[in-house]
Amino acid sequence: MTRQIKLGAFLPGGGQHVAAWRHPDSVADGATSFEFHVKLAQTAERGLFDAYFLADGLAVAFGGGMEGGNAKVAGFEPVTLFSALAPLTKNLGFIATASTSYEEPYNTARKFASLDLISGGRAGWNVVTTGSAAAAYNFNHAEQPPHAQRYARGGEHVDVVLKLWDSFEDDVFIRDKQSGVFFDTAGVHPTDHVGEHFQVKGPLNVSRSPQGHPVVVQAGQSEDGRALAAATAEVIFTAHQRLDTAQEFYRDIKARAAANGRNPDHVLIMPGVSPFVGRTEEEAREKYDRLTSYILEEDGIALLNGLTGGTLDLKGVDLDGPLPSAPPTEGMKSRQTLIRQIADENNFTIRELYQWIASARGHYTIIGTPVQIADMLQEWFENEAADGFNILPPWLPTALDDFVDLVIPELQRRGLFRTAYEGTTLRENLGLPFPINRHSVARYAAQAAE
Amino acid sequence: MTRQIKLGAFLPGGGQHVAAWRHPDSVADGATSFEFHVKLAQTAERGLFDAYFLADGLAVAFGGGMEGGNAKVAGFEPVTLFSALAPLTKNLGFIATASTSYEEPYNTARKFASLDLISGGRAGWNVVTTGSAAAAYNFNHAEQPPHAQRYARGGEHVDVVLKLWDSFEDDVFIRDKQSGVFFDTAGVHPTDHVGEHFQVKGPLNVSRSPQGHPVVVQAGQSEDGRALAAATAEVIFTAHQRLDTAQEFYRDIKARAAANGRNPDHVLIMPGVSPFVGRTEEEAREKYDRLTSYILEEDGIALLNGLTGGTLDLKGVDLDGPLPSAPPTEGMKSRQTLIRQIADENNFTIRELYQWIASARGHYTIIGTPVQIADMLQEWFENEAADGFNILPPWLPTALDDFVDLVIPELQRRGLFRTAYEGTTLRENLGLPFPINRHSVARYAAQAAE
């Protein structure tokens, strides 16, 4: 089969752009409206997206951060939300973010396995270590745990979750009413994990789904993040401003995956793209300028501060001058570097910088016609920069409708995107293999050796 | 308005009775079938039940325990499941069990607040401290934390959750697109909790629901359990074999609630009842005997062992003789006592005992006609033993259908049960007051004093 672009839809109900909610088309209470999320999911499914993707934070994100903004101070916990959306959709995948730092692996494994069963195999777990200090304060910490420590715990957390997801082999249930034998005890496996951060005996009290277990997703860009992603992730979200850095990341991850003994084709790289779509270039530019005009100065500064680690002091600083330096933090290290890089490479003033990142927050922003946008996606897709993209519509629902109605058909005309879902599970649509239960593998091997 | 009976439906997909799944009517894979749970929820709503209730355990419950049994070794996490059922129902409440011992209060508060928003105010949290040793081993413990320690942490956990649920006042969102003011910062409140077990700065990143916050439910029977329930619970599940012990519990809790400065009418006591309904007494008895005949000896013993704390050794013991003694454990203390009391008061052999508790597990089992069952419910309801009942149909779906089709109409004929839902939120149906946000109360008081 011809290789095709995979697409995730990043659809926070409050809108992606920091001023999205002020757009006349926007549903102002979108972040807390379940009905609005139903509409978004149904539009994404109409557009044949692989998955609905949601970031997550474990604190109110006043103004700043990756998922912050005033319109998003309150919202839904992603797994709970996706579970409610699952029975109202048929093919759309659901990739929810959850933290390895502030949850226990038994609970993480359980809620995602549960969503995976409920949705008939359409769940994905976006693994994050949670870079915000505010989250640490909600979980008994007086200060944020160091970056390296979060990643060490994160790696072990993922390891335990993967073990727990293999608690029940797929052919374990006999359910013979006559004999009273419900399951084959030989097919149920304890976890018996004893590690530096966790002791988990298992087994998990949820069985596997039609896709085996949820798809593992990761978005770390730092050295620690790349190592974790190449070891365990099946889909990797990434933020790049240029084809060459996207290519460097793509080749690096594929090489690391191969070095780990993994098939690089089973590690999908999906950069984020925030598209302003117009029937003409002028119309697209107008849409961008319009949304930019809604940004309040204080919200732009708060956003910038959140994305650079919270240590930037802009009091009395000229917003039409250059970005002052700020000490690095234990938060999202690579995002901090990326934001500075954007400022430097474009010679942006502070105001221009926050206006530019207000939508994509470090991801690629493209302003153009469906043909121009398809050209860019095609170029990255065909030149070792991407296997697909995470689409971040700047405001909702209109910018999502624009992409579905104008860009998707252009990609389909070029044969670059599906015209119907390939399957009913997230793995089938992403073209990822079914993960055979590790205990079944061992059993098959033993049988073959006899 | 005349006081009426409130009803919860305890509907584990795998059936309540330890051998339920072997019944010819049973859906053998009910525990892991989402479609089956949809059917159960819709039947409960047809029966005008106040809420669908689910127990929960954080370990595979091989054979024993409150929620155990072979047919339930694997199932769904309750909040994830209820979230998916919420959009497929309109009035039914959803009371999910969650542990104060093995979750963090920020996560507990968040997932229930999220379910409450998604369902339009139909969520309830059944607070448990988790009495099983197997659960402790899944959360980094080498042994089970002592009963008293679990309750101390439990009380603080509930306290933090209640604080977090009041993070956003109900009139906080302005959402004025023109001015760019999304919310009134004066109406968002940090939690600033510093206690023995938790430090939580807050605020929670979920706003309140149409019913304010989820209904708080509790089921502890021990001294610690009663104290916690009388302090915070709005609905209390309880297990009694006799009217007199139910009355003692009812009066004790109401008095304790009053002593805590609470209105006793806002603390609903709901004993569990497992009904075998027949059009004649003989038919009902036949149903009981039939289900009893499906119990395998080993499953009966496992159940008994689970309910008495896991320290019972029945190897080589005559099952048609009396129950040997066993050392007490740090598990569910009051349940252990209750099971022994049932054995003693009825002079049960081991076999008779596990047959009797196979369905209700310590709750009241009643075998009779709709009139006989309604008589019993009415007697308890009118004599200070109950404000309502938690109905535990022994097997599913038939025993639930029996109750809905035969007993509910009899209760309605007597004016003891609703003929239509009173409202759309769980609180409205239960007749519980809307909890005004604590910060609004303070603000109103300050305004009144001016």
Side-chain angles (χ1 to χ4, degrees):
Chain A
M1 226 197 84
T2 326
R3 182 173 164 258
Q4 288 189 315
I5 289 175
K6 304 302 174 187
L7 288 179
F10 189 96
L11 308 173
Q16 173 63 12
H17 189 284
V18 75
W21 71 275
R22 297 187 67 193
H23 194 286
D25 296 348
S26 285
V27 174
D29 68 347
T32 50
S33 164
F34 176 64
E35 290 67 28
F36 185 57
H37 285 86
V38 173
K39 184 179 170 169
L40 295 176
Q42 289 171 343
T43 305
E45 191 162 72
R46 176 165 69 79
L48 305 175
F49 274 90
D50 289 83
Y52 188 153
F53 174 77
L54 279 176
D56 192 44
L58 291 165
V60 172
F62 293 108
M66 278 306 289
E67 68 288 331
N70 289 336
K72 291 175 274 183
V73 287
F76 300 103
E77 188 279 324
V79 174
T80 325
L81 174 64
F82 281 157
S83 197
L85 294 175
L88 307 178
T89 50
K90 279 188 178 162
N91 299 87
L92 186 67
F94 293 103
I95 300 175
T97 298
S99 173
T100 54
S101 297
Y102 307 119
E103 303 203 36
E104 287 290 322
Y106 199 89
N107 292 332
T108 307
R110 198 168 175 230
K111 73 180 186 180
F112 279 96
S114 199
L115 174 63
D116 208 28
L117 259 186
I118 287 168
S119 63
R122 294 187 278 140
W125 171 31
N126 179 38
V127 179
V128 297
T129 67
T130 307
S132 113
Y137 308 147
N138 289 330
F139 292 87
N140 315 320
H141 291 272
E143 56 185 33
Q144 191 176 29
H147 190 272
Q149 189 182 308
R150 290 207 315 276
Y151 270 90
R153 180 183 154 114
E156 190 180 331
H157 190 124
V158 174
D159 182 39
V160 178
V161 167
L162 287 169
K163 285 181 187 169
L164 285 165
W165 282 342
D166 278 351
S167 294
F168 288 85
E169 291 188 60
D170 293 315
D171 56 357
V172 71
F173 294 110
I174 296 163
R175 302 188 184 106
D176 180 26
K177 289 187 178 185
Q178 202 53 43
S179 66
V181 176
F182 192 80
F183 66 102
D184 174 5
T185 51
V188 184
H189 302 274
T191 309
D192 288 333
H193 177 89
V194 180
E196 197 180 332
H197 301 86
F198 305 109
Q199 288 173 47
V200 181
K201 190 172 178 202
L204 186 66
N205 54 5
V206 187
S207 52
R208 303 204 333 157
S209 86
Q211 70 168 350
H213 64 66
V215 174
V216 178
V217 181
Q218 231 266 319
Q221 311 291 316
S222 63
E223 179 57 34
D224 288 337
R226 290 184 186 208
L228 180 59
T232 56
E234 302 171 277
V235 173
I236 298 173
F237 291 132
T238 178
H240 295 280
Q241 293 290 316
R242 296 196 319 256
L243 178 64
D244 63 343
T245 67
Q247 285 172 323
E248 181 278 323
F249 182 81
Y250 186 98
R251 290 168 184 151
D252 178 53
I253 293 288
K254 298 274 178 173
R256 287 175 191 245
N260 285 333
R262 303 179 63 199
N263 182 340
D265 293 344
H266 298 160
V267 182
L268 304 175
I269 316 284
M270 297 173 70
V273 174
S274 181
F276 289 82
V277 191
R279 279 160 217 276
T280 62
E281 236 185 289
E282 295 64 40
E283 193 188 66
R285 169 59 62 177
E286 242 168 53
K287 288 181 178 181
Y288 176 79
D289 291 341
R290 180 174 199 176
L291 210 47
T292 300
S293 76
Y294 296 135
I295 310 172
L296 296 181
E297 224 167 63
E298 69 216 63
D299 292 344
I301 292 170
L303 174 71
L304 204 52
N305 203 21
L307 287 172
T308 50
T311 55
L312 202 59
D313 186 5
L314 294 179
K315 249 179 231 135
V317 174
D318 179 11
L319 296 182
D320 297 310
L323 188 70
S325 64
T329 73
E330 289 297 328
M332 293 176 298
K333 287 184 176 299
S334 47
R335 188 57 49 124
Q336 295 167 27
T337 310
L338 183 62
I339 298 296
R340 298 224 153 247
Q341 181 198 316
I342 295 172
D344 294 345
E345 291 187 355
N346 297 282
N347 256 324
F348 276 153
T349 65
I350 297 172
R351 193 185 309 279
E352 288 165 340
L353 179 62
Y354 75 60
Q355 287 176 346
W356 184 249
I357 62 170
S359 176
R361 301 173 193 220
H363 289 280
Y364 192 85
T365 299
I366 182 163
I367 303 164
T369 64
V371 167
Q372 290 173 319
I373 293 171
D375 283 350
M376 177 256 149
L377 300 180
Q378 182 166 8
E379 186 186 12
W380 286 39
F381 177 66
E382 291 179 346
N383 290 284
E384 296 195 324
D387 297 310
F389 301 91
N390 199 20
I391 303 301
L392 301 83
W395 77 100
L396 296 169
T398 328
L400 172 64
D401 287 325
D402 285 350
F403 191 87
V404 167
D405 296 333
L406 302 173
V407 183
I408 296 273
E410 178 61 28
L411 293 173
Q412 288 170 328
R413 259 191 297 278
R414 300 182 188 194
L416 289 170
F417 191 62
R418 66 170 64 89
T419 51
Y421 281 107
E422 292 84 0
T424 58
T425 71
L426 178 55
R427 284 180 186 282
E428 283 165 357
N429 290 318
L430 288 173
L432 291 172
F434 178 90
I436 299 171
N437 188 304
R438 67 186 69 195
H439 304 291
S440 309
V441 171
R443 196 151 51 88
Y444 300 156
Q447 283 164 356
E450 269 169 20
Chain B
M1 225 195 86
T2 326
R3 181 172 165 260
Q4 288 189 315
I5 289 175
K6 303 302 173 188
L7 289 180
F10 189 96
L11 308 173
Q16 173 62 12
H17 189 285
V18 75
W21 71 274
R22 297 186 67 192
H23 194 287
D25 296 348
S26 286
V27 174
D29 69 347
T32 50
S33 164
F34 176 64
E35 290 67 30
F36 185 56
H37 285 85
V38 173
K39 184 179 169 168
L40 296 176
Q42 289 171 343
T43 305
E45 192 161 73
R46 177 165 68 79
L48 305 175
F49 275 90
D50 290 82
Y52 189 153
F53 174 78
L54 279 176
D56 192 44
L58 291 166
V60 171
F62 292 108
M66 278 305 290
E67 68 288 331
N70 289 336
K72 291 175 275 184
V73 287
F76 300 103
E77 188 279 323
V79 174
T80 323
L81 173 63
F82 281 158
S83 198
L85 294 175
L88 308 178
T89 50
K90 279 187 177 162
N91 299 87
L92 187 65
F94 293 104
I95 300 176
T97 298
S99 172
T100 54
S101 297
Y102 306 118
E103 303 203 35
E104 287 290 321
Y106 199 90
N107 292 333
T108 306
R110 196 166 176 233
K111 73 179 186 180
F112 279 95
S114 199
L115 174 63
D116 208 28
L117 259 185
I118 287 167
S119 63
R122 294 188 277 141
W125 171 30
N126 179 38
V127 179
V128 297
T129 67
T130 306
S132 112
Y137 308 147
N138 288 330
F139 292 86
N140 315 319
H141 290 272
E143 56 186 34
Q144 191 176 27
H147 190 272
Q149 187 182 309
R150 289 208 315 276
Y151 270 91
R153 181 185 153 112
E156 190 180 332
H157 190 124
V158 174
D159 182 39
V160 178
V161 168
L162 287 169
K163 285 181 187 170
L164 285 165
W165 281 342
D166 278 351
S167 293
F168 289 85
E169 292 189 58
D170 292 315
D171 55 358
V172 71
F173 294 109
I174 297 163
R175 302 188 184 107
D176 180 25
K177 290 187 178 186
Q178 202 52 44
S179 67
V181 175
F182 191 80
F183 65 103
D184 174 6
T185 51
V188 183
H189 302 274
T191 309
D192 288 335
H193 177 90
V194 180
E196 197 180 331
H197 301 86
F198 305 109
Q199 288 172 48
V200 181
K201 191 173 176 204
L204 186 68
N205 55 4
V206 188
S207 52
R208 303 205 331 156
S209 86
Q211 70 168 351
H213 64 65
V215 173
V216 178
V217 181
Q218 231 266 318
Q221 311 292 315
S222 63
E223 179 57 35
D224 288 338
R226 290 183 186 209
L228 180 59
T232 56
E234 302 171 275
V235 173
I236 298 173
F237 291 132
T238 179
H240 296 280
Q241 293 290 315
R242 297 196 317 257
L243 177 63
D244 63 343
T245 67
Q247 285 172 323
E248 181 279 323
F249 182 81
Y250 185 97
R251 289 167 184 153
D252 178 53
I253 293 287
K254 297 275 178 172
R256 286 174 189 245
N260 285 334
R262 304 179 64 199
N263 181 340
D265 294 344
H266 298 161
V267 183
L268 304 175
I269 316 283
M270 295 173 71
V273 174
S274 181
F276 289 82
V277 191
R279 278 158 218 277
T280 62
E281 236 185 288
E282 295 65 41
E283 194 189 66
R285 168 61 61 178
E286 242 166 54
K287 289 180 178 181
Y288 176 79
D289 290 341
R290 181 175 198 174
L291 210 46
T292 300
S293 76
Y294 296 135
I295 309 172
L296 296 182
E297 223 166 64
E298 68 216 62
D299 292 343
I301 292 170
L303 174 70
L304 205 52
N305 203 20
L307 287 171
T308 50
T311 55
L312 202 60
D313 186 6
L314 294 180
K315 247 180 233 135
V317 175
D318 179 10
L319 296 183
D320 297 309
L323 189 69
S325 62
T329 74
E330 289 297 328
M332 294 177 297
K333 287 185 177 297
S334 47
R335 188 57 51 124
Q336 294 168 26
T337 312
L338 183 64
I339 298 296
R340 296 223 156 247
Q341 180 197 318
I342 294 173
D344 294 345
E345 290 187 357
N346 296 283
N347 256 323
F348 276 154
T349 64
I350 296 172
R351 192 185 311 278
E352 286 165 341
L353 179 62
Y354 75 60
Q355 287 177 345
W356 183 249
I357 63 171
S359 176
R361 299 172 194 221
H363 288 281
Y364 192 85
T365 299
I366 182 163
I367 303 164
T369 64
V371 167
Q372 290 173 319
I373 292 170
D375 284 349
M376 177 258 150
L377 300 179
Q378 182 165 6
E379 186 186 13
W380 286 39
F381 177 66
E382 291 179 347
N383 289 283
E384 296 196 323
D387 297 310
F389 301 90
N390 199 21
I391 303 301
L392 301 85
W395 76 99
L396 295 169
T398 329
L400 172 63
D401 287 325
D402 285 350
F403 191 88
V404 167
D405 296 333
L406 302 172
V407 183
I408 295 274
E410 178 61 27
L411 293 174
Q412 288 170 327
R413 259 191 296 279
R414 300 181 188 195
L416 289 169
F417 191 62
R418 67 170 64 89
T419 52
Y421 280 107
E422 292 85 0
T424 57
T425 71
L426 178 55
R427 285 179 187 283
E428 283 165 356
N429 291 319
L430 288 173
L432 291 171
F434 179 90
I436 299 172
N437 188 304
R438 68 187 69 195
H439 304 290
S440 308
V441 171
R443 196 151 50 88
Y444 299 157
Q447 283 165 357
E450 268 169 21

